[in-house]
């Protein structure tokens, strides 16, 4: 069962199409140091519908993070176009929020101070900033930690603060660069469940970079496999799992096992090109 099909509102019974469609056409990125030109991404075209959860997997060095930073506007494309809802991106913007693996929290700000940061940049008044930030702090089960500093938090709590900070300023799109990669397995699984709950709640487009096939299949509506360097789209898998079941039931299901195998085999062809498929 597709998670998005279960999203409802009080008027129609189902949500209207939300914003956050990403369209990429003929994307190319070349790093030019003057002495050497390295093509990181080559002729990549992709459409991510509004509200979709897309995970991206590929061999090390295939350009996964480069792709994310291009969509974020941190890097300029060498050729091709990237658009959000039909509008070409022109640098970073509040319509796109980025969650990094290393949290990127301000150590001199408390949890509340970190979560309100983006709202401050948008010029939101103090009372509204506090109310909005508190809502997302509560959503992340961080109530009671508002006055703590990052050094006083565990890794999982820091990642939840990072996600709360990004969600608080209400971007259309969440760009996540291996956000759970440094966490141990129990905590990783806990935050995966948390992310799925949040995604159902706030209805954002999510583009999620990971090296973990199991994570990609479990979380996503679609998984894109990238080719080895220079990276481009190899194939996209539609993931249709009944996530109304428990995590254990999903992971042990025939559907999950089959999709994981298909994605793994596609990725293996890129990481081990001499295996003869």
């Amino acid at each position: 069962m597709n998670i998005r099909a279960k999203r409802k509102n009080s008027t129609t019974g189902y949500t209207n199409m939300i914003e956050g469609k990403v369209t990429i056409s003929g994307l190319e990125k070349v790093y030019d140091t003057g002495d050497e030109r390295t093509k990181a991404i080559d002729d990549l075209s992709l459409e991510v519908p509004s509200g979709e959860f897309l995970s991206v997997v590929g061999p090390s060095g295939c350009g996964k993070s480069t792709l994310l930073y291009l969509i974020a506007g941190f890097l300029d494309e060498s050729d091709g176009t990237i658009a959000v809802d039909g509008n070409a991106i022109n640098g970073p913007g509040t319509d796109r929020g980025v969650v990094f693996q290393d949290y990127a929290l301000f150590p001199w700000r408390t949890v509340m101070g970190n979560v309100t940061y983006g709202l401050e940049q948008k010029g939101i008044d103090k009372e509204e900033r506090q109310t909005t930030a508190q809502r997302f702090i509560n959503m992340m089960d961080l109530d009671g930690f508002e006055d703590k500093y990052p050094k006083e938090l565990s890794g999982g709590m820091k990642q939840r603060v990072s996600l709360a900070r990004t969600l608080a300023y209400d971007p259309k799109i969440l760009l996540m660069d291996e956000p759970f990669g440094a966490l141990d397995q129990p905590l990783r699984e806990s935050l995966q469940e948390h992310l799925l709950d949040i995604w159902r709640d706030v209805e954002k487009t999510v583009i999620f970079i990971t090296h973990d096939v199991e994570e990609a299949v479990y979380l996503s509506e679609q998984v894109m496999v990238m080719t080895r360097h220079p990276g481009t789209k190899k194939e996209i898998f539609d993931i249709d799992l009944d996530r109304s079941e428990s995590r254990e039931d999903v992971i042990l299901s025939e559907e999950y096992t089959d999709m994981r195998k298909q994605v793994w085999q596609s990725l293996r062809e890129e990481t081990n090109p001499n295996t003869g498929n």
Side-chain angles (χ1 to χ4, degrees):
M1 180 184 297
N2 190 299
I3 290 178
R4 195 159 29 137
K6 297 168 63 179
R7 301 178 183 174
K8 299 182 178 180
N9 65 32
S10 58
T11 305
T12 65
Y14 292 95
T15 56
N16 296 323
M17 182 58 70
I18 58 176
E19 295 182 319
K21 178 181 178 181
V22 178
T23 306
I24 301 172
S25 300
L27 182 65
E28 181 178 297
K29 177 61 181 177
V30 177
Y31 291 105
D32 191 345
T33 64
D35 297 323
E36 184 179 4
R37 286 170 54 86
T38 302
K39 182 176 286 188
I41 293 178
D42 182 33
D43 193 24
L44 189 152
S45 295
L46 174 68
E47 184 174 292
V48 186
S50 303
E52 189 86 352
F53 196 126
L54 171 77
S55 286
V56 180
V57 298
S60 296
C62 73
K64 298 186 295 295
S65 293
T66 294
L67 173 62
L68 199 80
Y69 297 156
L70 285 163
I71 299 170
F74 298 156
L75 299 173
D76 295 325
E77 61 270 26
S78 302
D79 199 4
T81 60
I82 306 173
V84 173
D85 295 325
N87 300 309
I89 65 167
N90 183 26
T94 55
D95 57 345
R96 286 151 285 140
V98 184
V99 180
F100 300 96
Q101 180 177 347
D102 62 357
Y103 322 126
L105 299 177
F106 300 118
W108 60 88
R109 281 180 172 252
T110 63
V111 168
M112 178 62 76
N114 268 282
V115 178
T116 57
Y117 176 77
L119 298 167
E120 293 172 16
Q121 301 308 301
K122 291 181 73 172
I124 305 298
D125 68 71
K126 183 176 181 179
E127 183 176 352
E128 186 177 349
R129 289 200 307 265
Q130 295 286 318
T131 300
T132 300
Q134 191 66 56
R135 178 162 71 91
F136 287 99
I137 287 171
N138 293 346
M139 182 185 291
M140 296 294 163
D141 298 323
L142 290 165
D143 45 306
F145 292 88
E146 291 85 351
D147 297 328
K148 299 294 185 182
Y149 288 89
K151 67 181 181 180
E152 301 175 273
L153 305 177
S154 67
M157 294 174 75
K158 290 176 185 177
Q159 195 56 282
R160 281 183 279 155
V161 174
S162 178
L163 189 51
R165 180 180 62 184
T166 302
L167 290 169
Y169 64 83
D170 196 26
K172 301 175 184 179
I173 300 162
L174 290 178
L175 303 170
M176 308 187 76
D177 190 15
E178 300 200 42
F180 309 144
L183 305 177
D184 62 40
Q185 190 64 22
L187 184 54
R188 186 186 188 109
E189 291 180 2
S190 174
L191 288 182
Q192 287 170 358
E193 298 301 327
H194 217 74
L195 177 59
L196 284 177
D197 287 342
I198 292 163
W199 178 58
R200 293 183 186 103
D201 250 5
V202 300
E203 298 181 337
K204 305 294 183 187
T205 304
V206 179
I207 300 177
F208 188 96
I209 304 298
T210 180
H211 64 275
D212 188 323
V213 170
E214 287 79 6
E215 179 174 66
V217 173
Y218 182 73
L219 290 174
S220 312
E221 290 181 298
Q222 291 191 319
V223 176
M224 179 174 75
V225 177
M226 290 183 67
T227 63
R228 58 187 179 275
H229 181 85
T232 192
K233 178 179 68 179
K234 179 181 181 182
E235 56 187 315
I236 290 184
F237 295 89
D238 292 318
I239 310 297
D240 188 11
L241 300 173
D242 185 357
R243 294 183 180 89
S244 64
E245 302 286 344
S246 69
R247 181 187 184 96
E248 182 179 5
D249 286 338
V250 171
I251 288 177
L252 294 177
S253 69
E254 184 178 339
E255 292 83 3
Y256 175 85
T257 301
D258 180 59
M259 291 310 308
R260 182 186 61 185
K261 180 179 179 181
Q262 289 184 50
V263 175
W264 178 82
Q265 287 178 328
S266 180
L267 178 59
R268 185 168 183 265
E269 292 168 6
E270 296 303 314
T271 55
N272 297 287
N274 297 319
T275 58
N277 296 345

